Amino acid sequence: MYRARPARNNRTVAVKARPATGDDAAQRFRREIEIHRSLDHPHIAAFIDSGCVSVGGAGAANKGTVRYLAMQHLNGGALGGRLQNQSLSVENACSLLQPVAMALHHVHERGIVHRDVNPSNILLSEDGQAHLIDFSIALGPDDIPIGDGTLCTPAYMSPEQRGGEGTDPRSD
């Protein structure tokens, strides 16, 4: 992830970039972009732009095409970082996670399963509002998993994910 400021609007964004190759990782990234683009909820990091750019000019050691996803920049850090430094009361945890639950409901209404809900994938805005991010292993209603399923965060995997079974909204 990179922080960037596009010249056209001077708005800080978060940019996720991957080489635009034909492998599983590139295919997953294209799917992540499609899924993220389809979601519009105040507690999901807002999709801003995506595309491909050529990198490396003549004589450059690293030439190629890079696919990118630009999204809302949230500068309050990840919930995981906050939990390492402080504990949350039950009341604070509930008020922080209720909007994430509403975001997941929005995701699930569209037939999408996130499959990696964990404190690292919940970012906080400057005012402390929680936002869901990272749809890199999410599946839509007609998707077949790409890769071997080892991309989840093991400590947060549902039992059915661990067992290699299918996932549904209950898995999140």
Side-chain angles (χ1 to χ4, degrees), residues 17-133:
R18 300 277 186 271
T21 61
D23 64 4
D24 283 354
Q27 191 176 349
R28 262 193 320 275
F29 191 53
R30 280 192 303 276
R31 185 66 187 133
E32 176 180 2
I33 290 169
E34 290 171 19
I35 287 173
H36 200 147
R37 179 183 288 129
S38 74
L39 300 169
D40 183 18
H41 189 275
H43 292 283
I44 295 174
F47 174 88
I48 295 173
D49 193 15
S50 68
C52 283
V53 294
S54 295
V55 294
N62 295 320
K63 288 194 239 181
T65 304
V66 172
R67 187 173 306 278
Y68 69 90
L69 163 64
M71 68 185 97
Q72 174 185 13
H73 178 260
L74 297 159
N75 57 359
L79 177 58
R82 178 180 282 188
L83 293 175
Q84 287 179 353
N85 299 322
Q86 71 184 57
S87 61
L88 296 176
S89 69
V90 172
E91 294 81 17
N92 285 344
C94 288
S95 67
L96 190 65
L97 294 177
Q98 182 183 16
V100 174
M102 292 186 309
L104 278 171
H105 179 72
H106 175 79
V107 169
H108 296 155
E109 282 182 322
R110 280 140 190 82
I112 299 165
V113 181
H114 188 282
R115 300 189 335 137
D116 197 22
V117 178
N118 69 72
S120 303
N121 289 335
I122 299 171
L123 294 185
L124 305 172
S125 61
E126 195 170 301
D127 64 357
Q129 293 294 308
H131 295 76
L132 187 62
I133 64 161

